[in-house]
Amino acid sequence: MFKFSALLVMGAALTLAGCQKSQDVATQPTQITPEVTAQVKALGFGTGDLRAVEGGYVVEGDILLTPQVLAGGTDYKMLRVGADEQYRTTNLVTGLPRTLTVSLSTQFPSAYVTAVDEAIRRYNAANLQLHFTRITSGTADLPVKYSSNLGPGVLGQSGGFPSGGNPAPGFTLVPSVINSTNTNYIATIMAHEMGHCIGFRHTDYMNRAYSCGGSASNEGASGVGAILIPGTPSAADPNSWMLACVGNGVNRPFNTNDVTALNYLY
């Protein structure tokens, strides 16, 4: 299985897949102080896998929290789908209806062009108040950046969550680690990272072992409140696009529960 966002290899079978980073090489970490740890906990995240990187701190394997986010706090809420499916939003994208632009670094292989168009198509097919379009010039809301190395086994790293009503500033992927030209697989990774950028947390954040295997691991506290979506199942969802890990080559288009969650927020 592969994990989304800043994914690390977990034994022979697991890898973390990624969210954002703007550098092409691994960066030197900054210090994790007790104050930083307290701020991360206050935002509802666990600190067991907290890592310091250039630009901030990574939690849940792939979500970047900048010093500004930590210092300012977030007006977040929980979105709960059933007993095991959990989505967390923080500072949602506002100004709806709204179109967000997406750009792709020219460093990516051609398969990534097809894949990003497929990821965009999936969101637009959900008929949300958020619309996505790819641009080839100018500054995009969601730039997809190329990296040759984010650390051993890391597929990518997200730019975090929305801030000030705007989406997180895109994400970075590492093609050499993804090591695939499968359009639907790459589109699944991209759509997942786009989900973080507009405010979604891992579906199985309460227990990452559900999609990643291994021992049970809660990504963060759930004491920030919850909103139950009517009409969704109480059982865990094995196919959500926001599960923390995904198998190599697996395609996860939005399922019915995903569309319910997307429409609830947007």
Side-chain angles (χ1 to χ4, degrees):
M1 300 296 293
F2 291 85
K3 180 150 192 176
F4 285 110
S5 324
L7 297 186
L8 300 175
V9 175
M10 299 175 63
L14 295 180
T15 316
L16 300 184
C19 296
Q20 151 145 12
K21 200 161 189 177
S22 59
Q23 299 296 320
D24 283 348
V25 295
T27 54
Q28 295 299 315
T30 54
Q31 184 178 7
I32 298 177
T33 64
E35 180 183 12
V36 167
T37 301
Q39 290 172 324
V40 171
K41 288 182 177 179
L43 290 177
F45 293 97
T47 57
D49 62 350
L50 177 63
R51 294 188 298 113
V53 299
E54 182 175 349
Y57 304 88
V58 171
V59 296
E60 297 187 13
D62 67 342
I63 299 170
L64 178 67
L65 300 179
T66 65
Q68 292 76 16
V69 169
L70 291 179
T74 51
D75 178 17
Y76 57 77
K77 57 184 177 182
M78 288 283 225
L79 177 58
R80 181 172 184 172
V81 183
D84 295 292
E85 296 178 65
Q86 301 282 342
Y87 301 80
R88 198 190 83 151
T89 63
T90 132
N91 292 353
L92 296 178
V93 176
T94 59
L96 306 177
R98 182 171 175 180
T99 296
L100 300 180
T101 55
V102 182
S103 65
L104 184 72
S105 169
T106 57
Q107 294 175 279
F108 284 103
S110 59
Y112 283 69
V113 177
T114 306
V116 74
D117 287 342
E118 169 60 17
I120 289 171
R121 185 201 65 77
R122 295 181 184 187
Y123 277 96
N124 290 343
N127 295 317
L128 308 174
Q129 292 188 74
L130 274 183
H131 185 84
F132 296 84
T133 186
R134 183 165 65 88
I135 61 174
T136 56
S137 62
T139 302
D141 298 303
L142 300 178
V144 184
K145 303 172 186 177
Y146 176 97
S147 178
S148 60
N149 179 24
L150 289 177
V154 177
L155 302 182
Q157 185 174 294
S158 79
F161 292 125
S163 176
N166 296 312
F171 54 93
T172 299
L173 299 178
V174 188
S176 61
V177 181
I178 293 173
N179 192 28
S180 176
T181 58
N182 183 315
T183 295
N184 285 328
Y185 173 53
I186 300 171
T188 293
I189 295 172
M190 289 179 167
H192 177 100
E193 301 304 344
M194 291 167 69
H196 282 317
C197 290
I198 63 174
F200 282 91
R201 191 165 173 178
H202 292 144
T203 299
D204 54 345
Y205 92 95
M206 288 294 290
N207 182 9
R208 285 199 301 192
Y210 180 70
S211 68
C212 300
S215 59
S217 174
N218 187 319
E219 289 180 348
S222 60
V224 295
I227 300 173
L228 175 65
I229 299 181
T232 56
S234 59
D237 187 342
N239 299 308
S240 173
W241 101 108
M242 289 305 295
L243 287 172
C245 292
V246 63
N248 187 15
V250 170
N251 178 29
R252 283 190 186 141
F254 300 143
N255 64 23
T256 300
N257 300 324
D258 294 335
V259 173
T260 298
L262 283 162
N263 276 279
Y264 183 86
L265 294 184
Y266 291 111

